[in-house]
Amino acid sequence: GCTVKYSGYLGNWNKLFCSNGNSKYPRLMKLGKDITLWGLEIGLLSMTKGEAALFVLTPEYAYGQRGCPPSIPPNTTVLFKVEVLDFIDSEECDAFFELTCEQRDRLPLEKVLKVAATEREFGNYFFYKQRFKIAKDRYKRALSILGRSSSSKAEQSQINASKLLLFLNLSLTYLKLERADRALKYGELALEMDQGNAKALFRCGQACLYMREYRKSRDFLARAQCIQPFNRDINNELKKLA
């Protein structure tokens, strides 16, 4: 999936026929699904995040012999100004979620962790776009594949590290969704894995404050402050509580 700023032109860069340049948050698009111009797809695959490019697409790489009436005449060369704002490779994830549970269980842990990390990346993308419900769903999708337990201590600690990040993400996302009870639940799950995690203690303190459970909130926030005494966010939340 990629987020792209684009403008399409006819003639000598003077006749604009399509653009998403006015959109503050361009949507995440899939190559081959949302972006179907062959030349544009080839061009984007050669680009990296943050790169800008100009493409001249001859008819066979663009709208072909027919064109796209009324805006694009037959056999037209089109010009595209493109900037890649973000890029997340979802191919492995798509393939993974098409497998049966038995097939997934047979995959090496490394692959499962990679898919979970990519799903978390998608979650972060939507979180920063303030689309919290979609972010929550992507984080939960990542969690759903980390249920396997391993007899190897090293493997189990890798799974737990991946889960911990997702618990923290979900706790914050539920705070944004004003579901403090769920935020507290995921904060406490994070603490079960790492009882000295200042971020998890802070999230639990915030959730309890939102629910007006002041004594519980103070307990969580005071423990967080002991670990990070100069953390401005923790200190501000304690002032708010007072």
Side-chain angles (χ1 to χ4, degrees):
C2 58
T3 321
V4 178
K5 219 179 214 178
Y6 64 84
S7 300
Y9 298 86
L10 301 176
N12 195 17
W13 299 103
N14 53 18
K15 193 179 176 187
L16 182 74
F17 69 87
C18 72
S19 174
N20 72 343
N22 294 329
S23 171
K24 193 179 175 186
Y25 297 126
R27 69 190 181 91
L28 198 66
M29 295 188 287
K30 261 191 169 178
L31 294 171
K33 188 180 172 189
D34 304 305
I35 300 167
T36 52
L37 279 193
W38 189 28
L40 206 48
E41 203 172 329
I42 294 168
L44 285 166
L45 284 168
S46 73
M47 295 175 74
T48 55
K49 183 176 170 177
E51 191 178 345
L54 303 175
F55 293 114
V56 177
L57 308 182
T58 55
E60 63 268 31
Y61 287 95
Y63 296 95
Q65 291 180 350
R66 290 183 182 178
C68 190
S71 48
I72 297 152
N75 286 315
T76 303
T77 292
V78 293
L79 316 159
F80 271 92
K81 194 181 283 183
V82 175
E83 185 185 351
V84 176
L85 305 176
D86 218 332
F87 185 86
I88 308 170
D89 188 356
S90 65
E91 196 177 344
E92 242 179 312
C93 291
D94 295 341
F96 178 88
F97 285 105
E98 281 170 18
L99 300 174
T100 64
C101 292
E102 291 78 25
Q103 287 172 320
R104 288 182 200 179
D105 287 341
R106 285 200 295 269
L107 285 177
L109 178 66
E110 190 187 335
K111 190 153 244 180
V112 177
L113 291 173
K114 193 177 174 194
V115 170
T118 304
E119 283 297 315
R120 183 170 166 265
E121 215 179 313
F122 273 111
N124 292 346
Y125 170 83
F126 288 112
F127 182 92
Y128 290 117
K129 295 282 180 271
Q130 303 198 343
R131 297 173 70 183
F132 302 120
K133 278 187 177 166
I134 303 174
K136 169 199 64 138
D137 291 341
R138 295 313 284 244
Y139 294 142
K140 284 192 167 180
R141 200 154 100 121
L143 256 188
S144 74
I145 65 169
L146 293 171
R148 64 157 80 180
S149 55
S150 173
S151 52
S152 149
K153 233 180 180 177
E155 281 199 350
Q156 195 57 54
S157 76
Q158 280 182 288
I159 293 168
N160 289 351
S162 195
K163 277 175 145 179
L164 178 64
L165 291 172
L166 289 161
F167 289 151
L168 291 169
N169 285 143
L170 279 161
S171 185
L172 179 57
T173 307
Y174 273 115
L175 281 171
K176 296 287 185 185
L177 289 166
E178 299 185 350
R179 291 287 311 278
D181 55 328
R182 307 292 293 162
L184 178 61
K185 178 200 154 184
Y186 282 105
E188 287 179 328
L189 283 169
L191 287 173
E192 279 175 28
M193 292 196 154
D194 179 7
Q195 58 184 4
N197 190 295
K199 207 175 263 187
L201 289 164
F202 178 57
R203 298 271 176 266
C204 291
Q206 283 180 298
C208 290
L209 179 55
Y210 186 89
M211 294 188 289
R212 301 184 178 189
E213 292 183 20
Y214 300 127
R215 190 170 290 179
K216 252 177 112 174
S217 177
R218 178 162 184 77
D219 179 48
F220 281 123
L221 292 171
R223 281 162 67 195
Q225 191 185 44
C226 282
I227 298 161
Q228 291 187 2
F230 302 109
N231 185 306
R232 190 184 297 168
D233 292 333
I234 296 168
N235 293 332
N236 285 344
E237 207 72 6
L238 276 162
K239 280 180 199 163
K240 203 192 289 182
L241 175 65

